[in-house]
Structures are given as C-alpha cells and as structure tokens.
Amino acid sequence: MSKTPLWLKILAQGSAGLVLAFLCLPILAVIPASFNKASFIALPPLAYSSRWYEAFIADAEWRNALLASLHVAVIATLVAVVFGTAAAMGLHRADGRWRSLLTGLFLAPMIVPVIVTAVAVYRSALDVGLSGTPVGLGLAHALLALPFVVINVGIALRGVEENWLRAAAGLGAGPWTIFRTVTLPNITPGIVAGAIFSFITSFDEVVVAVFLAGYANKTLPVKIWESIRLEFTPVVAVAATLMIILAVVLFALAQFLTKSAGRRTA
C-alpha cells in the first residue's frame, strides 16, 4: 500500500485550515469588537476599553437576560436528556421498521423549519398557559434539543454488548441494576455530549424565544436581537462574546468528562 505524498498531506491540511478560518474568523471578530472604546462597532477598534463590559454588568436588563437564558437552558437540558435517553434506548430495542419510523419522528425538529415549530409551540403554549414562562420556553427548547440527545446516546448504545447485559442478568441483577452498573457507565459520554448540545441549542436559540419569551423572561439572544434593531452598540458584541466563551467552555468540559468517563469504564 503506497504512502500518501507529503505535498498532498500539506495541501489537505492547508485546505482544512482555510475552511476553518473562513467559518470561525467572522465569528471571532466580535471579541475585539467588544473591547471597542467608541460607541459604535469598528474593526479593528481604534482604541480599546472594557467600558462595554462594565455597561453590560451594570445594566439590569442584560443581566436578567443572561440569567433567564441560563435558567431556560438548564430546564431544556434536563428534560431533553431524560426523555432523549429513554427514547434512544427504546429505539435501540425497536424492530427495524418501527425504528426507522420512530427515528424520523424524533429527528423531525432538526428537519422542520424552526419558524414552523415556533408557531406550533406558541399556539400550544397559549392553550395550557405556558406562554411567557421559563417552563414553557424550556420545554420548547427541549423539543429542539431532543434529537441531539437521541443521536449521541444512540451512538453510545452501539458500544454496549448484549452479552454484557445477559451476563449481568444471569448473575441475578435486575433491570435497574443492569442499567446503573452496565448500560449507564458506557453511555455516559453520549449523555454528556447530548447535554452539552442541548444546553447550547437552548442558550443560542432566538426564533422560538421571540414567540414564547415574555418581557420578564427575555433571553440573551432575544435581547441581542432587540438591541441590534434599536441601537447597535458594542455591548451587543459583549453579549455575543460571552456566548462564545460559554460554548467553548462547555465543549472543553464535555471533552474532559467524556475522557474521565472512558477511563472509569475501562
């Protein structure tokens, strides 16, 4: 088998680097913009200052929006992880025909346009009195995050051998003990990944939040959207920078927890 030429490896790595730069640099541009001293966004900033971070912290609306986003994201993550894990385990045991049908149903929120989901969820939330509440928005975000948990846990379940479950049952373990001691340790990386994606999906979501978030429960993306419409100051870049930092921290935490869970399982 011939080895890949060095020039081809360099070309492939260089092309991948250019694609990543094309995707990431426009996003990362908000970080220097958040340190702009002027009252408008300019790249590169003519002078640097932390005044807009101080303005973000001093403004009660921005602080409340950040806390509302965290609150809703926690609700959405907990609901999505519980129901998504149960759904993934059910799909893993389902017959081939039913599995395909049910998989398509659970993955539908990734396919259906978000605006369609937002209108449907908004009408349903009005009927049950959950419109404008953190619980209602958290449940709506859990619906959008559910496919990520189903996919990640489903992949993790493929690594669980049926012989392990039979051996545990043969030793007298009940269904709960088998799940706790055999299945759960092996699917923990999938659960962690699904939880991280669920949290970020909820924290960054704006379309459904525009429909369901009331004035008292305005999330950070909604506040950013409103600020862009009214006044486009660098405080918007500060909020976007905080969202980027949170996403990076969560992905790093997911990598750490996944590796730790793998070592414990081994």
Side-chain angles (χ1 to χ4, degrees):
M1 185 175 180
S2 59
K3 297 177 66 176
T4 305
L6 179 60
W7 68 268
L8 187 58
K9 292 182 180 180
I10 296 175
L11 179 62
Q13 293 175 357
S15 301
L18 290 175
V19 172
L20 288 175
F22 176 78
L23 295 174
C24 295
L25 288 180
I27 300 174
L28 298 179
V30 299
I31 298 177
S34 67
F35 290 97
N36 190 10
K37 187 176 182 179
S39 298
F40 54 89
I41 292 180
L43 286 174
L46 300 178
Y48 290 87
S49 172
S50 61
R51 59 174 291 202
W52 296 108
Y53 284 87
E54 297 170 1
F56 182 93
I57 297 173
D59 193 323
E61 286 194 18
W62 282 107
R63 294 199 311 269
N64 292 336
L66 176 60
L67 294 176
S69 290
L70 294 173
H71 185 195
V72 170
V74 169
I75 295 174
T77 301
L78 292 175
V79 174
V81 167
V82 171
F83 287 93
T85 301
M89 294 182 66
L91 290 173
H92 186 69
R93 293 180 173 85
D95 294 332
R97 292 176 298 177
W98 285 105
R99 181 184 301 173
S100 300
L101 178 63
L102 293 174
T103 299
L105 180 64
F106 283 114
L107 299 186
M110 298 181 67
I111 303 170
V112 177
V114 180
I115 186 66
V116 176
T117 304
V119 173
V121 171
Y122 174 67
R123 187 66 187 88
S124 301
L126 284 177
D127 292 337
V128 297
L130 291 177
S131 179
T133 65
V135 175
L137 184 55
L139 293 175
H141 283 178
L143 177 65
L144 299 177
L146 191 68
F148 295 101
V149 181
V150 172
I151 291 173
N152 283 280
V153 176
I155 293 173
L157 282 169
R158 297 175 186 173
V160 180
E161 296 287 345
E162 290 294 330
N163 290 334
W164 301 347
L165 308 181
R166 296 191 189 98
L171 294 173
W176 169 245
T177 303
I178 293 175
F179 173 78
R180 181 174 56 84
T181 59
V182 180
T183 306
L184 183 59
N186 286 280
I187 66 173
T188 296
I191 294 176
V192 171
I196 297 298
F197 278 109
S198 298
F199 192 95
I200 294 176
T201 298
S202 173
F203 194 81
D204 292 348
E205 204 282 324
V206 64
V207 178
V208 174
V210 167
F211 279 81
L212 290 180
Y215 179 79
N217 301 300
K218 189 183 302 179
T219 61
L220 191 58
V222 174
K223 177 64 177 173
I224 292 175
W225 179 71
E226 291 182 351
S227 297
I228 290 175
R229 294 177 62 202
L230 299 176
E231 51 176 357
F232 197 25
T233 61
V235 72
V236 175
V238 172
T241 299
L242 294 177
M243 296 176 70
I244 293 174
I245 292 174
L246 179 63
V248 172
V249 170
L250 287 176
F251 276 117
L253 180 62
Q255 290 292 326
F256 174 76
L257 293 177
T258 300
K259 291 180 180 178
S260 298
R263 287 194 296 267
R264 288 196 299 268
T265 302

